[in-house]
Amino acid sequence: MQPIVSVKDVKFSYPAGVSALKGVSLQVGQGERVALLGPNGSGKSTLILLIAGLLMPTKGSVEVFGQSTASKDFQKFRSRIGVVFQDPDDQLFTPSVIEDIEYGPKNLKLPAEDVAARSAHVLEKMGIAHLRDRAPHRLSFGEKKKVSLATALVLKPELLILDEPTANLDLVSRRGLIDTLNELNEAGTTVIVSKHDVEAFPELADRVIVISHGCLLGE
Ligand code: ADP
Ligand code: MG
């Protein structure tokens, strides 16, 4: 079966000359739950941005759904991928929590009842119903993190990529996140999560990929 994600010998350097990835190859199959584990600075966020097609490799290739992220057709595949950035300030941009959560589903032109049902579900699961009408930029980091997770979960994407989703989450929201991810995974969503500690791994992933200094260390 064709993998959903295929990363081949990818090198990536930031403009300042920092070599963040030094030759990374990995494949992720349909319906897999994969965790990317590595210390701060090992290249997790860079790899996630490359898989999401938001950065382009300096060398090597990244294919998602069989399509190179460098191809000009890749934009069409964007709506099938949900990404949650490590920093929620990169994710949230509307005046209220509910507008941020409903932005994606409305953009996909889903029926209004469907948008309302989906947003109510993620608000409840992430324990943020009380934040519904609040301004995202005034929330605490942990609250923002939950809202940014909700903006991706609500899309029910085929591929969901989450950068350190459990950092700063309280136990209730962590439980809600794991339950929602498992719900989506059972419905066919492929999940990639990054983490810098091993806590909660068995519940989040079937396979762990270890990254260190821009290289994968094997599984
Ligand atoms: P992780 O997510 O595992 O903490 P990152 O992918 O954020 O790792 O970082 C990998 C390396 O790239 C680090 O050395 C980091 O300092 C560097 N880096 C990350 N983002 C940038 C950037 N925008 N400009 C320059 N260097 C960066
Ligand atoms: Mg990171």
Side-chain angles (χ1 to χ4, degrees):
M1 202 172 64
Q2 192 188 41
I4 295 270
V5 174
S6 178
V7 175
K8 286 190 191 137
D9 204 22
V10 163
K11 297 184 179 158
F12 183 85
S13 299
Y14 283 101
V18 180
S19 168
L21 296 177
K22 299 169 183 161
V24 165
S25 297
L26 70 101
Q27 296 202 327
V28 179
Q30 152 85 53
E32 267 198 290
R33 295 185 314 160
V34 173
L36 196 58
L37 174 66
N40 287 330
S42 55
K44 301 180 298 294
S45 295
T46 306
L47 184 52
I48 279 177
L49 293 172
L50 282 155
I51 294 172
L54 299 168
L55 286 178
M56 293 301 144
T58 312
K59 290 235 166 64
S61 67
V62 178
E63 288 184 9
V64 182
F65 305 120
Q67 186 80 29
S68 166
T69 55
S71 81
K72 62 178 186 318
D73 286 342
F74 191 71
Q75 285 304 329
K76 286 190 234 155
F77 293 76
R78 269 285 156 63
S79 63
R80 295 164 63 183
I81 307 174
V83 187
V84 178
F85 300 116
Q86 182 168 358
D87 183 350
D89 286 330
D90 292 337
Q91 192 100 17
L92 306 172
F93 62 97
T94 76
S96 72
V97 166
I98 191 66
E99 283 168 273
D100 258 322
I101 292 173
E102 295 193 341
Y103 183 86
K106 282 183 176 163
N107 217 22
L108 291 176
K109 310 232 181 314
L110 296 177
E113 318 83 84
D114 202 9
V115 173
R118 283 185 184 208
S119 58
H121 184 68
V122 293
L123 282 169
E124 191 241 299
K125 282 289 180 185
M126 295 312 298
I128 51 173
H130 62 294
L131 303 177
R132 194 181 187 285
D133 299 310
R134 295 273 303 277
H137 66 279
R138 300 236 182 264
L139 301 177
S140 75
F141 183 89
E143 288 171 332
K144 284 182 192 174
K145 190 81 193 182
K146 294 183 219 176
V147 176
S148 66
L149 287 163
T151 66
L153 295 171
V154 75
L155 295 168
K156 301 188 183 178
E158 282 168 70
L159 172 62
L160 190 50
I161 313 171
L162 312 170
D163 199 355
E164 309 225 11
T166 54
N168 295 73
L169 277 199
D170 49 80
L171 283 176
V172 174
S173 304
R174 184 185 289 240
R175 184 75 262 152
L177 170 68
I178 292 169
D179 288 351
T180 314
L181 286 179
N182 288 339
E183 246 171 57
L184 293 175
N185 182 245
E186 274 160 33
T189 295
T190 304
V191 181
I192 302 176
V193 295
S194 79
K195 276 177 73 63
H196 66 270
D197 59 45
V198 286
E199 209 187 332
F201 258 138
E203 286 185 294
L204 274 170
D206 312 307
R207 178 153 71 101
V208 177
I209 296 172
V210 180
I211 183 167
S212 172
H213 298 293
C215 300
L216 301 190
L217 294 187
E219 291 164 29

